[in-house]
Amino acid sequence: MWPYDDTRAAVRDVLRLSGAMTFKAAAADLPMGGGKGVIVLPAGSLPPTGPLRTAALEDFGDTVQALEGAYVTAEDVGTAEEDMQTIAGRTRHVSGLDVRRGGSGDPSPWTALGVQEAIEVSLERATGSGDLAGRTVAIAGLGSVGVALAAGCAQAGAHLLAADIDPARRAAAEGLGARWVTPAQALEAEVDVYAPCALGGGLDHETAARAGARIIAGAANNQLADGSVAEVLADRGVLWAPDFVCNAGGIINISVELDGAYDPARARERLATIGHTLRRVFADADAAGTTPLAAARALAHERLRVS
Ligand code: NAD
């Protein structure tokens, strides 16, 4: 649920997001395709609350129901577990419901766990050690995933910088020991890891040239404005961990729910796929002399062909 300038912008975004979901499921070797829904808010508007929010979610639920299971929805930017509960009043093709009701809960903490694993694998690749203790991580976007990632990195002993366009997020970030900075400062800081956890498209030729971290690994979908940005980063010696590999933790958790009786221990086991896949992507990129993006796309295509 997000404000868009017009419906054309929303359609462009949802098509890019559903493409990313296809790559994500394929790279994680899950037996599912890709899909995404957006609830379009008028540009500049605040998220609706009360009966208006309920009506928007119920409309969305009716649309999902009309697809008869070809698309299963879940939490993402601007929506939370209780919203999925509202949607569930109109369709059974919704996941990420409350664990007490047999669902797998909000996928965001699982996405954060997967991103943390991706950060550790990237550190291992770039420095020889995946240990987060004493490293500095700059997180841009302190929403559901960003806060959980900050908590995990802090617990592992990392120093944190945190940025969000919403000043209300500052208290949570500082509560985890993070230093509050502007989004531009987070991007340019000479840190070990920059973790984009806001919206997509934040890295274009201009911003990629200003990135100060040696590693970029985060949750945001479609971080690169276009594929050529992967080359700009590689030329600058920045290791970019492909977003659709890093941020698969949530969908991996949902896949356990869709298998039948939800078991968080099974989800945790399956989450290890992210580290294995990312190690292979980095090795393939080195062997072929390509970028991690090209190697991750090749791997996803290979897995799509055999499935
Ligand atoms: P969220 O809506 O909870 O949080 C996003 C945060 O980013 C908000 O606090 C918002 O204020 C902030 N933000 C927006 N623009 C910003 C900017 N320019 N600079 C700094 N902060 C900005 O969303 P989320 O669920 O935490 O998801 C974050 C990203 O991860 C999204 O790109 C989402 O598609 C992706 N993702 C999420 C999941 C999941 O499980 N929630 C799974 C895979 C990928």
Side-chain angles (χ1 to χ4, degrees), residues 150-177:
C153 291
Q155 203 175 10
H159 307 293
L160 298 176
L161 305 186
D164 200 297
I165 51 168
D166 179 358
R169 309 280 169 161
R170 181 172 183 156
E174 289 183 341
L176 292 164

Side-chain angles (χ1 to χ4, degrees), residues 132 134-138 158-161 190-194:
L132 266 162
R135 304 283 189 188
T136 304
V137 181
H159 307 293
L160 298 176
L161 305 186
E190 290 180 11
V191 291
D192 297 295
V193 182
Y194 172 63

Side-chain angles (χ1 to χ4, degrees), residues 113-159:
L113 273 178
V115 172
Q116 188 172 333
E117 168 144 356
I119 287 175
E120 288 165 355
V121 167
S122 304
L123 278 167
E124 177 191 286
R125 183 82 190 169
T127 71
S129 164
D131 193 354
L132 266 162
R135 304 283 189 188
T136 304
V137 181
I139 302 177
L142 266 283
S144 313
V145 180
V147 164
L149 177 65
C153 291
Q155 203 175 10
H159 307 293

